[in-house]
Structures are given as C-alpha cells and as structure tokens.
Amino acid sequence: MSRSRIALAWLTLHFVLIIAICSRQLWWLIANGLTIIPFSGADVSAQSARDISTTAGSRNARTRPAKEVLFAYLHDAGIEGAYSFFAPNVPENFKVAFEFRNADGSVEYDLPNVESRAAGLRLGSLLDKIGRSDSEQYRRILIRMLTSTAWENHPEAVSAHAVFGKLKLPDPVEYERGIRPAYEFIASYDFERSAHSYPR
C-alpha cells in the first residue's frame, strides 16, 4: 500500500472519530434540554449518545486492547478534550462553597480563590467537568483538591465541609411566573485535617 493511501486512510479515520465525538456532544446537549430542540426527544437522544459513546470507545475502554489504543489516541489528538475538539462552550454555572470549622467551634466560610481572569475561566471549566462526571470518586477527589487549596487560608481549621451545587435557571415562562435562579444541591463532602495538614 502506498504512503498516500495510508495517509488518506489515517486522515479518514481521524475525521470519523471527530464526527463521532462531536455527535455525542450534540446528542448530550439535546438529551439534557440545553438546545431549542424539543425535550420530548430526550430519550432517543440519550440512547443515541450512549451508542455513539460506546462506538467512540470512551466507555468500557479497558475491556479490549483495541479500545485502549483508541481511547489513548482520542486523548492524544485532543478530540476527547473538555470541549469536544471545538471551541469552548459556555459552561453551566456550578459552584462549590466551603465551611471550615476551627478547634474552638467557630466556623469560617470560603469560596475557591482565583488570582486572574484566566484562572477563573479554568476554574469554571473544572467545575463544569466535575458536574458532568458520573463518577462519585472522581468528583470527590477533585473537590478534595479544591478544598485543600482553600484550606491554606484557614490554618486553624480542623475540618471542612464542601458543598457542590448548580445554578438552575428558569426558562422564560417560569421567569414570568416569578421563579428566579436558585442553586440546586448536588453533593457535599466532609474532610478532616490529617497529620500532614492535608484533608482526607
């Protein structure tokens, strides 16, 4: 087989993977009611997203060597990135808040601290990724890391309570009825300061 045919085959495979990943992202948006497409098709969209996800190899990637190789390629090529290869979308409004308890019983409250606008965008992207994850362990680890960073501002605290939520925005009809944006609880985590000053 000539080099040009190998290159063409590789290029075709690459673009097929891009289309599969982007289609999965599109179906995910439809299934979650984030587009103008009627929500009645959510069940079909959710099933299609699962099928495409399986085809793309992002689920059960460890079951076969071929899927492991495909999964590695998706990440190396940047196709399986946070924004599904294309430009960033506007993330949903997730929020994490901390409650630090000192040894004397006093309580201090805090939010993740960012030092620049770029860091704020990265934090928003990270919270969006945490909120979209189906893995409770993954979510807990990342929130523990955020808690550990915020803990530096509260050296006397012996324990921390982190609450993760999402801002639920009303649609135009609900807004006309007087319903206003409100945070929806997703998860909460408790951490204690270990002997090495890291939460556990």
Side-chain angles (χ1 to χ4, degrees), residues 100-101 140 144 147-148 151-152 154-160 190-200:
F100 293 98
R101 190 168 296 276
R140 180 179 176 85
R144 181 175 58 188
T147 305
S148 178
W151 213 314
E152 296 174 1
H154 306 272
E156 303 300 321
V158 295
S159 65
D190 291 299
F191 304 106
E192 295 181 1
R193 187 183 290 278
S194 69
H196 300 289
S197 299
Y198 290 105
R200 59 182 180 182

Side-chain angles (χ1 to χ4, degrees), residues 66-89:
K67 284 190 176 181
E68 288 185 21
V69 171
L70 178 59
F71 191 58
Y73 178 75
L74 292 175
H75 281 273
D76 289 343
I79 302 172
E80 186 64 11
Y83 302 119
S84 298
F85 191 76
F86 291 107
N89 63 318

